């Protein structure tokens, strides 16, 4: 293995951007030199009392899978490092508290979507706009319309206030404008409150996945970061319950259905300050001692905390050498001009676009309308929509275990074709005679089956992917760009769907989204890199692979191997992996399927 100890930060970054190798930034450094660097690091950041801890952490970070041979570690240290592999979900309560509380903020988004879903049955009539499908669509899409512009504020706000401060600030938008919806007296008042609410939602859904991705270990990052989507699904389910509870109130039901969504934000405003600040945000601010204290609250031992901090610090210094001190405009430009960051921007845009292509937000906003057109009465429409919310929530759970083992990319490649045929089948059921007893149950069945495929796949992946694919220097503005794409498409689809439904019928609408699902499948297959079980710092190397090389690999290397292995049943067919590990003893990917 070639040593990279002599490589300067700038040349090292150039090296990783053009060579498809995942390199440990501490690889090739002699033990004596490494310990000297650790001593200098501790002296610089008032951590000399933790010198022995950081020496252990640096040695483990240098050879993560060879810790058994590190003499400096005692048996207790090694026991905890073993359990990190064998009991990877055994983590401090503070970590789970932080993930749970922060992700609770996403429940507001899901609850509001379903509140609007039920409210669509009554508020257009009360305000006399039922005939204006474009205006109804605009009111429903208002939070995503304002949110797509507000997402860009996540970068400066996170820079000034930190992750916790931004989560608290956006929580205020999830209380007062949400409640104000219930008291509006005309359609433009409802539109205004929803636009204001969208400002907070746009910033919040950018920040929460970043916060969660920065505090969790790499091996289960996907499973914990996807809690954001799990809480969205929970909010959708509770929102449908709320719709049913308030249904019998009559024409004022929509006020309670919309206003009740403020509830999840209350505990966030009170308890968020009991969570540790993101250690990587503190690292970005060179508040190294505070970053270590935060890591200590989020890891099982101080050695693990020191390992993660020192590893992240070394990669951060490389990024700072190239990108440090750049302005907002410069960072925005670099999303498209710097190859490594541009690939992350493309990857994030792909998954966000694919989520909207799936058609799920149409189900969340308009399932009541769809079931009403299928022939259900008002009460049974809400019950059928509740079933959609229940399936969405229950089937989100498998992703907790599969997203970090099966992988983000493979989950999407499995679920998109299945969602497509479910939509085709559901659309065909609308063509059955209205007097047919099978018509309504079949439509509901295929909508539910579509949702069951969506929930463990394209449901959780986009927010996980967007939060992890960018380097620390561009994480906020990069995630904001992904949310902008997602909200822009969501706004367009939410605005146009009532007219689309009226123009091409439910069968045509379902067929249209089935085609978009298959288009998303093709784009993901050729252009989306896998990110599972890599630290946030190691992903710099994953996105160092040029897009054309990634597409060529799956076209001319992976596809022929797949045909030989799974069609011609040639068990001895071998596959050269796309990525090669450098500086991680024992982690070289020997099995062909491990990276595909």
């Amino acid at each position: 293995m070639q040593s990279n100890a002599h490589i300067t930060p700038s040349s090292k970054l150039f090296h990783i951007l053009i060579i498809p190798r995942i390199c440990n930034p501490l690889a090739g450094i002699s033990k004596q030199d490494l310990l000297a660097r650790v001593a200098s690091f501790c002296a610089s950041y008032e951590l000399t009392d933790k010198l022995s801890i950081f020496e252990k952490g640096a040695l483990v970070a240098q050879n993560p899978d060879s810790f058994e041979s590190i003499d400096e570690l005692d048996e207790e240290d090694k026991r905890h490092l073993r359990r990190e592999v064998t009991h990877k979900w055994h983590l401090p309560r503070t970590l789970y508290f932080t993930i749970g509380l922060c992700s609770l903020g996403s429940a507001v988004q899901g609850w509001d979507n379903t509140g609007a879903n039920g409210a669509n049955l009554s508020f257009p009539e009360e305000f006399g706009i039922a005939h204006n499908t474009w205006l109804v669509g605009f009111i429903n899409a208002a939070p995503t319309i304002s949110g797509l512009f507000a997402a860009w504020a996540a970068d400066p706000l996170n820079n000034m206030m930190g992750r916790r401060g931004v989560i608290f600030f956006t929580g205020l938008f999830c209380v007062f404008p949400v409640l104000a919806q219930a008291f509006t007296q005309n359609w433009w008042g409802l539109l205004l409150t929803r636009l204001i609410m969208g400002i907070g939602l746009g910033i919040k859904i950018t920040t929460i996945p970043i916060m969660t991705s920065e505090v969790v270990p790499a091996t289960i990052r996907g499973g914990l970061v996807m809690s954001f989507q799990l809480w969205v699904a929970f909010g959708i389910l509770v929102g449908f319950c709320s719709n049913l509870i308030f249904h019998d109130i009559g024409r004022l039901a929509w006020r309670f259905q919309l206003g009740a969504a403020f509830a999840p934000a209350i505990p966030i405003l009170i308890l968020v300050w009991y969570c540790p600040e993101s250690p990587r945000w503190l690292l970005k601010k060179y508040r190294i001692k505070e970053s270590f204290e935060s890591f200590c609250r989020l890891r099982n031992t101080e050695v693990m905390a020191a390992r993660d901090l020192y590893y992240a610090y070394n990669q951060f210094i490389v990024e700072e050498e190239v990108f440090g001190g750049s302005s907002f405009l410069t960072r925005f430009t670099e999303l498209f001009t710097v190859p490594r960051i541009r690939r992350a921007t493309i990857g994030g845009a792909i998954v966000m676009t694919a989520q909207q292509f799936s058609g799920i937000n149409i189900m969340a906003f308009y399932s009541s309308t769809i079931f009403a057109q299928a022939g259900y009465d008002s009460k049974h429409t809400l019950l059928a929509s509740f079933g959609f919310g229940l399936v969405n929530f229950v089937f989100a759970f498998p992703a907790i275990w599969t997203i970090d083992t099966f992988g983000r990319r493979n989950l999407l490649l499995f679920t998109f074709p299945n969602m497509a045929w479910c939509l085709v089948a559901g659309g065909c059921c609308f063509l059955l005679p209205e007097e047919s007893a099978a018509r309504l149950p079949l439509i509901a069945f295929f909508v539910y089956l579509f949702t069951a495929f969506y929930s463990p796949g394209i449901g959780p992946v986009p927010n996980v992917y967007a939060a992890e694919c960018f380097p620390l220097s561009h994480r906020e503005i990069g995630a904001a760009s992904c949310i902008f794409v997602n909200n822009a498409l969501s706004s367009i689809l939410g605005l146009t769907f009532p007219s689309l439904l009226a123009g091409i019928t439910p069968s045509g609408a379902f067929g249209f989204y089935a085609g978009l699902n298959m288009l998303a499948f093709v784009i993901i297959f050729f252009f989306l890199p896998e990110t599972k079980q890599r630290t946030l710092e190691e992903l710099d190397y994953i996105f160092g692979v040029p897009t054309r090389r990634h597409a060529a690999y799956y076209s001319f290397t992976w596809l022929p191997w797949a045909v030989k292995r799974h069609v011609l049943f040639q068990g001895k067919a071998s596959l050269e992996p796309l990525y090669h590990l450098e500086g991680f003893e024992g982690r070289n990917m020997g099995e062909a399927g491990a990276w595909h």
Side-chain angles (χ1 to χ4, degrees):
M1 181 187 69
Q2 180 183 0
S3 171
N4 60 7
H6 64 283
I7 300 178
T8 64
S10 297
S11 64
K12 184 174 182 180
L13 188 63
F14 175 77
H15 174 80
I16 67 177
L17 292 182
I18 64 172
I19 298 176
R21 295 192 178 108
I22 303 173
C23 305
N24 187 326
L26 303 177
I29 303 175
S30 68
K31 182 176 181 178
Q32 182 179 4
D33 189 17
L34 179 63
L35 295 180
R37 296 186 185 190
V38 171
S40 176
F41 168 84
C42 290
S44 299
Y45 298 110
E46 301 179 354
L47 289 166
T48 51
D49 58 324
K50 300 293 183 181
L51 176 59
S52 63
I53 299 296
F54 273 91
E55 288 177 342
K56 293 178 182 181
L59 290 169
V60 175
Q62 187 181 47
N63 298 295
D65 291 317
S66 302
F67 65 85
E68 297 283 3
S69 61
I70 298 176
D71 296 332
E72 284 77 4
L73 297 176
D74 57 35
E75 187 54 35
E76 184 68 9
D77 295 327
K78 294 179 181 179
R79 185 180 73 85
H80 282 290
L81 290 169
R82 291 187 203 108
R83 286 179 60 82
E84 190 177 35
V85 178
T86 60
H87 299 73
K88 60 183 180 180
W89 293 93
H90 179 72
L91 295 165
R93 292 180 181 177
T94 302
L95 175 61
Y96 285 114
F97 174 77
T98 301
I99 298 298
L101 184 72
C102 292
S103 297
L104 181 60
S106 58
V108 179
Q109 182 180 354
W111 195 333
D112 175 74
N113 284 354
T114 49
N117 190 315
N120 280 330
L121 298 175
S122 50
F123 86 79
E125 286 78 8
E126 178 162 344
F127 291 149
I129 58 173
H131 63 284
N132 193 336
T133 56
W134 283 97
L135 181 56
V136 173
F138 185 56
I139 291 173
N140 282 323
T144 54
I145 292 173
S146 58
L148 72 91
F149 297 105
W152 296 109
D155 182 85
L157 286 176
N158 272 272
N159 187 56
M160 292 185 297
M161 304 169 65
R163 313 292 189 230
R164 291 185 308 175
V166 171
I167 291 171
F168 175 83
F169 174 70
T170 56
L172 298 174
F173 287 83
C174 297
V175 174
F176 300 108
V178 174
L179 280 173
Q181 293 179 104
F183 299 95
T184 53
Q185 300 301 311
N186 44 57
W187 67 262
W188 56 264
L190 179 60
L191 174 63
L192 181 62
T193 56
R194 292 182 63 78
L195 286 170
I196 296 172
M197 177 181 67
I199 296 172
L201 293 179
I203 302 171
K204 174 181 63 64
I205 62 175
T206 304
T207 303
I208 287 177
I210 292 175
M211 172 70 166
T212 53
S213 72
E214 290 181 342
V215 302
V216 301
T219 54
I220 56 171
R221 183 177 61 245
L224 288 179
V225 177
M226 66 86 48
S227 64
F228 178 91
Q229 180 61 29
L230 184 64
W231 280 102
V232 170
F234 178 74
I236 289 173
L237 176 61
V238 175
F240 280 127
C241 292
S242 173
N243 288 347
L244 284 168
I245 290 171
F246 296 119
H247 171 262
D248 293 331
I249 292 178
R251 67 181 187 86
L252 297 180
W254 68 269
R255 297 185 181 275
F256 294 89
Q257 290 166 342
L258 288 177
F262 82 96
I266 300 301
I268 296 174
L269 295 175
I270 299 171
L271 299 176
V272 69
W273 301 108
Y274 292 92
C275 300
E277 180 58 270
S278 163
R280 285 182 168 89
W281 181 82
L282 293 167
L283 169 62
K284 186 177 181 180
K285 295 298 182 181
Y286 286 95
R287 293 159 60 176
I288 305 300
K289 190 172 183 178
E290 293 176 60
S291 179
F292 177 61
E293 293 170 354
S294 180
F295 263 127
C296 285
R297 296 180 63 188
L298 299 164
R299 299 294 183 266
N300 287 318
T301 68
E302 287 189 333
V303 171
M304 293 177 181
R307 174 201 60 191
D308 291 352
L309 173 57
Y310 192 70
Y311 186 94
Y313 172 81
N314 278 271
Q315 188 63 36
F316 171 66
I317 292 301
V318 174
E319 296 176 11
E320 278 290 281
E321 178 73 17
V322 180
F323 304 117
S326 57
S327 65
F328 175 88
L329 182 59
T330 301
R331 291 196 301 276
F332 176 80
T333 304
E334 288 169 346
L335 292 177
F336 310 98
T337 58
V338 176
R340 179 264 180 268
I341 302 174
R342 181 174 65 244
R343 293 177 195 117
T345 305
I346 293 172
I350 287 174
V351 292
M352 290 296 182
T353 302
Q355 188 181 64
Q356 296 305 315
F357 278 9
S358 73
I360 191 63
N361 276 357
I362 299 307
M363 299 295 183
F365 271 113
Y366 295 109
S367 66
S368 296
T369 305
I370 291 170
F371 287 126
Q373 291 212 6
Y376 284 101
D377 59 30
S378 177
K379 183 66 174 288
H380 288 90
T381 289
L382 292 177
L383 284 170
S385 293
F386 169 78
F388 158 76
L390 181 62
V391 171
N392 186 38
F393 178 63
V394 170
F395 280 88
F397 281 94
I400 296 176
W401 295 277
T402 58
I403 196 169
D404 287 311
T405 53
F406 198 48
R408 287 76 155 138
R409 171 187 163 86
N410 286 339
L411 277 175
L412 299 184
L413 293 177
F414 170 75
T415 55
F416 266 106
N418 285 296
M419 289 191 296
W421 73 258
C422 288
L423 287 172
V424 171
C428 291
C429 290
F430 275 95
L431 302 177
L432 294 172
E434 291 189 9
E435 60 272 13
S436 172
R439 185 173 185 265
L440 298 182
L442 282 175
I443 291 173
F445 172 76
F446 285 113
V447 168
Y448 294 166
L449 192 58
F450 162 85
T451 308
F453 283 118
Y454 163 87
S455 295
I458 192 58
V461 167
N463 284 300
V464 173
Y465 205 92
E468 67 188 5
C469 65
F470 292 94
L472 183 59
S473 57
H474 291 68
R475 190 160 294 151
E476 297 93 342
I477 195 168
S481 72
C482 295
I483 297 302
F484 178 85
V485 171
N486 189 277
N487 282 349
L489 290 172
S490 178
S491 300
I492 293 171
L493 297 179
L495 180 64
T496 59
F497 187 74
S499 298
L500 179 71
L501 198 62
I504 63 175
T505 73
S507 295
F510 276 42
F512 173 73
Y513 280 105
L516 292 181
N517 272 262
M518 293 310 301
L519 176 62
F521 171 84
V522 173
I523 293 173
I524 288 166
F525 180 82
F526 287 108
F527 301 112
L528 190 71
E530 180 59 79
T531 60
K532 68 171 183 176
Q533 297 187 358
R534 300 258 63 93
T535 70
L536 295 177
E537 291 70 37
E538 288 167 7
L539 290 180
D540 278 343
Y541 306 94
I542 297 294
F543 289 96
V545 179
T547 303
R548 63 182 179 278
R549 184 177 298 185
H550 187 275
Y553 173 81
Y554 282 98
S555 299
F556 304 116
T557 301
W558 190 90
L559 270 180
W561 169 82
V563 171
K564 292 177 183 178
R565 186 72 177 269
H566 302 295
V567 178
L568 303 178
F569 301 104
Q570 298 179 10
K572 294 183 179 180
S574 61
L575 175 67
E576 177 69 18
L578 176 58
Y579 308 110
H580 297 272
L581 305 187
E582 200 172 89
F584 296 90
E585 295 183 13
R587 294 175 69 187
N588 203 11
M589 306 304 292
E591 296 184 15
W595 283 102
H596 70 267

